Amino acid sequence: MKLLLLAFCCVPLWLSGQINSRQELEILLSEDRFDEAIAFCEAQLSLKSLDVYFAHELASTYLAKGEIPKAIQIIKSYDFARLGGKSEVLRADIVLATCYSKQGEIARADSIFINCRKRFSFADTSLLPVQIDWLNHFSESKWLAGRPFEAIDVLETGYDSLAQVHRRFKGQGGIVNNLGILNWSVGKYESSLEAFHLAVSFYSDEFGPQNIRLSKVLNNLGVVYYHQGDLKKAAEFYNRSLELRMKLNPDPHPGDVLYHNNMGRIARDLGNFDEADQHFQQAEAILRSLGAFAIPQLTEIVELQAELRGLQHETAEALRLFDQVLAQQRQYDADDNSRLASLFYKRGKILATEGRLVDALADFEEAQRRASSTLSLPHPQLVAYHTAISETLLALNDKPGSMHYAIQALTAGRSSGPKISYDVEEYMHYPELLAAANQLVAVSMAIGAEPDNVIKTIDLAIHLLEYLRSGVRYESRATLATEAESLFSNAISFAIKANNFSLLFEVIERSKSFTLRLSQNEQSLLGQSEELDQLLNAYRDNTVRQNYWESQLADQPKSSEEL
């Protein structure tokens, strides 16, 4: 799923407060009016050719727009060392490093970030803007490199260092807001909520209760509640965010896109497809009015519309929209293989739902091929793509191929068997791993694998399920319940087929325990628990009867014909 939160700030939230031109620029940047900000910086540079502050802001704004080559060109065009002093030199290097990280040149970016850190101390109060820039951008670089826990550590450690020197400081809200984003990305929802509520307090103190930053943090709170499955709370914060933004500027604004996008997701999840469609169409209309700058966001909205058509079983329209998104993405950024892989995967899921398995397999394999050019297991995208290929091959009766991809997904590309090699504390990708474990159980049963191996895989999958129940990155309890139902159904079927009463008893008891802790509907819970008990009792009675008659037959004397 795409990140719907406020992105990491690519421009600083600080300014001197004494120069009107800088204050005016700050307003433009805070409202994401990037084209106007660029024109403003260029005008200032033409008037004050020696004020490299505006050169830095110009490069930062191009970076925020995604025009990385232009940002790099500007940074390299100015002699920051001669014209700006230590502070501007450091800030220019930080922007350059961020450009490299966004281009995937992580080692190059890390080298510059580390070099910058050697040139300042958190105790130097004159370099506070540099310190804030470095923390926000270096942590963002870690996150882009797929190292979110390192990113969190960078922000938390740096923030603590600054807090020892300054009780309150400008830019404090931006740091804790980014900390909330990072915690959200790894499924630490409570920590994320704590950070966002703190950001609300800091932004209110620094900029007053009526400011655009506050509107964005309120939206972020809505996103976290949405991913916790609390749709009512999510809608409340989305509406508060929009209400505040409308007070500040009633004209159509890119921030309205977030609102319609998020409310559309809520309507979709509630099954209100017409309402969801209306929100997505409104978001699309706003984005199209923004021109070329809106192309990345526009492809995401059309993608949401395509997924919605798939849920409505309007396959032809869903596929047409996915083709449109793929064409737009190739035109805008043909080198973004991770994004293209995601689109092929989602189109493949729709094809698979419609029974077009060969076409679906082609899309899944294309997704896996593209993603493998930039990612490696255990990245969640690759885990999901391997699992999808395994599921499709099994449906096409290619059991050996299905087993191969199931093991690859679950063992980070190793072929040493279903032994998971991921560190629970370091990876947040367990939903994808759970699906992979579930698939390996299904394939193992289909090919008649050794019972001990199947039991180990079932035990692993249940372990992952129990870990996930605590809330790690699952978007809703319903999603987790669906995966749990599939797992326990497979496990019960295997236990019955293997005539393994002890395994059946353990699986059913764990299923009941899991359902008890997950269910929000007491009647539903009682019904499921009674159904499992009936199954257990029926199988136990049948086993008792079978064992009795087998023992009776064994005690009977053989017939004369047999003698």
Side-chain angles (χ1 to χ4, degrees):
M1 175 169 294
K2 291 291 175 183
L3 191 63
L4 299 178
L5 300 163
L6 169 63
F8 280 87
C9 301
C10 291
V11 291
L13 292 177
W14 70 282
L15 54 117
S16 67
Q18 299 172 347
I19 304 175
N20 290 335
S21 58
R22 295 191 179 190
Q23 291 176 336
E24 186 173 348
L25 175 61
E26 174 66 11
I27 292 172
L28 294 174
L29 293 173
S30 69
E31 295 180 355
D32 298 334
R33 294 156 61 183
F34 297 131
D35 290 333
E36 294 176 61
I38 287 172
F40 185 87
C41 286
E42 290 174 340
Q44 292 298 317
L45 286 169
S46 67
L47 295 172
K48 305 173 183 178
S49 59
L50 297 182
D51 192 348
V52 290
Y53 169 84
F54 289 103
H56 172 273
E57 296 305 299
L58 183 60
S60 294
T61 307
Y62 274 115
L63 177 59
K65 284 189 65 175
E67 297 184 29
I68 297 173
K70 186 69 174 177
I72 294 175
Q73 177 189 341
I74 293 168
I75 289 295
K76 292 185 175 181
S77 298
Y78 285 83
D79 187 349
F80 287 89
R82 183 173 64 86
L83 301 174
K86 181 178 180 180
S87 176
E88 291 301 334
V89 170
L90 283 168
R91 294 182 67 224
D93 285 347
I94 290 167
V95 171
L96 187 62
T98 305
C99 289
Y100 290 140
S101 71
K102 287 182 177 291
Q103 289 185 149
E105 300 179 60
I106 302 301
R108 192 175 185 182
D110 280 355
S111 176
I112 297 175
F113 278 122
I114 292 170
N115 181 266
C116 286
R117 179 63 186 89
K118 293 176 180 178
R119 288 145 58 196
F120 73 82
S121 166
F122 282 112
D124 187 345
T125 57
S126 68
L127 292 177
L128 177 60
V130 172
Q131 297 156 1
I132 293 173
D133 269 6
W134 184 85
L135 283 175
N136 285 330
H137 289 293
F138 190 34
S139 60
E140 179 191 16
S141 181
K142 293 285 189 184
W143 180 75
L144 289 171
R147 304 197 295 262
F149 289 95
E150 291 182 30
I152 291 172
D153 184 62
V154 167
L155 268 189
E156 288 183 336
T157 303
Y159 179 77
D160 289 343
S161 297
L162 287 177
Q164 291 176 9
V165 180
H166 317 269
R167 191 178 72 84
R168 284 291 180 97
F169 55 89
K170 288 184 177 181
Q172 201 166 9
I175 294 176
V176 294
N177 179 63
N178 288 342
L179 192 57
I181 293 172
L182 287 170
N183 278 300
W184 171 85
S185 74
V186 298
K188 294 185 175 181
Y189 296 140
E190 294 305 321
S191 297
S192 181
L193 290 174
E194 181 181 354
F196 286 140
H197 282 295
L198 196 58
V200 168
S201 174
F202 288 152
Y203 279 146
S204 297
D205 289 347
E206 186 173 345
F207 302 102
Q210 305 288 322
N211 71 84
I212 195 66
R213 300 165 187 81
L214 193 55
S215 172
K216 293 176 179 179
V217 180
L218 291 173
N219 175 80
N220 292 351
L221 283 164
V223 172
V224 179
Y225 284 118
Y226 170 81
H227 283 271
Q228 283 188 319
D230 192 340
L231 303 187
K232 182 178 179 181
K233 198 80 170 177
E236 174 192 334
F237 277 96
Y238 291 152
N239 284 316
R240 285 179 59 185
S241 173
L242 180 69
E243 181 181 352
L244 177 55
R245 198 208 62 72
M246 292 291 287
K247 285 182 179 179
L248 297 170
N249 181 6
D251 297 330
H253 184 274
D256 297 343
V257 174
L258 275 179
Y259 173 77
H260 290 297
N261 197 2
N262 292 334
M263 292 301 289
R265 289 176 180 272
I266 289 178
R268 179 198 62 191
D269 292 354
L270 293 173
N272 302 328
F273 294 149
D274 290 341
E275 180 183 342
D277 195 28
Q278 289 175 6
H279 279 296
F280 294 149
Q281 287 183 20
Q282 287 176 277
E284 181 183 0
I286 296 169
L287 285 171
R288 289 195 182 280
S289 69
L290 298 176
F293 169 60
I295 288 179
Q297 294 86 353
L298 183 59
T299 61
E300 294 174 15
I301 293 295
V302 178
E303 177 186 345
L304 286 170
Q305 292 174 329
E307 291 178 296
L308 183 62
R309 295 293 179 266
L311 291 172
Q312 293 174 301
H313 303 292
E314 298 178 17
T315 307
E317 179 63 9
L319 294 176
R320 185 191 70 79
L321 289 171
F322 268 118
D323 289 341
Q324 177 183 328
V325 175
L326 282 164
Q328 290 173 335
Q329 183 62 37
R330 289 190 179 104
Q331 179 182 359
Y332 175 73
D333 188 357
D335 296 328
D336 190 348
N337 278 317
S338 178
R339 168 81 173 131
L340 287 167
S342 175
L343 294 172
F344 277 110
Y345 170 73
K346 290 179 178 180
R347 188 174 73 171
K349 296 292 281 186
I350 291 177
L351 290 167
T353 301
E354 295 299 315
R356 296 170 56 180
L357 298 179
V358 175
D359 292 335
L361 180 62
D363 272 2
F364 293 147
E365 289 177 338
E366 180 67 11
Q368 188 265 341
R369 183 186 69 80
R370 286 182 176 273
S372 296
S373 68
T374 56
L375 306 173
S376 59
L377 289 165
H379 194 282
Q381 279 185 254
L382 275 178
V383 172
Y385 302 158
H386 278 73
T387 302
I389 293 173
S390 175
E391 291 171 345
T392 310
L393 288 173
L394 183 59
L396 291 170
N397 206 34
D398 182 354
K399 295 176 183 177
S402 178
M403 175 61 82
H404 168 77
Y405 278 99
I407 291 177
Q408 289 280 302
L410 197 60
T411 63
R414 300 178 178 85
S415 57
S416 57
K419 181 179 179 181
I420 200 158
S421 59
Y422 309 100
D423 187 337
V424 169
E425 297 302 322
E426 289 299 323
Y427 288 98
M428 68 290 191
H429 311 318
Y430 278 97
E432 291 79 8
L433 291 177
L434 174 59
N438 231 340
Q439 174 61 14
L440 187 55
V441 171
V443 181
S444 299
M445 292 172 59
I447 68 173
E450 288 293 324
D452 286 349
N453 289 336
V454 180
I455 291 171
K456 288 178 182 177
T457 307
I458 290 173
D459 189 63
L460 167 63
I462 292 176
H463 170 74
L464 293 174
L465 188 64
E466 292 288 348
Y467 186 80
L468 280 168
R469 188 192 59 78
S470 63
V472 178
R473 246 195 94 230
Y474 249 93
E475 293 180 13
S476 69
R477 300 168 76 90
T479 306
L480 185 56
T482 299
E483 202 67 58
E485 181 180 359
S486 174
L487 169 61
F488 286 122
S489 176
N490 283 336
I492 289 171
S493 296
F494 172 76
I496 292 175
K497 184 177 180 180
N499 200 32
N500 189 327
F501 179 75
S502 61
L503 175 63
L504 178 66
F505 180 81
E506 179 184 357
V507 168
I508 287 180
E509 287 303 309
R510 292 178 77 167
S511 174
K512 287 166 59 180
S513 173
F514 183 83
T515 304
L516 177 64
R517 284 173 287 178
L518 187 70
S519 177
Q520 293 175 304
N521 185 319
E522 187 174 352
Q523 287 301 116
S524 173
L525 165 64
L526 291 174
Q528 292 179 53
S529 181
E530 290 173 1
E531 183 178 342
L532 290 172
D533 280 338
Q534 290 171 5
L535 173 63
L536 187 61
N537 289 333
Y539 184 77
R540 178 165 53 196
D541 292 343
N542 184 62
T543 303
V544 170
R545 285 193 296 271
Q546 181 179 338
N547 290 341
Y548 170 78
W549 287 112
E550 285 178 352
S551 64
Q552 290 296 308
L553 289 172
D555 292 339
Q556 294 293 322
K558 298 185 184 313
S559 67
S560 56
E561 293 180 350
E562 290 178 313
L563 292 173

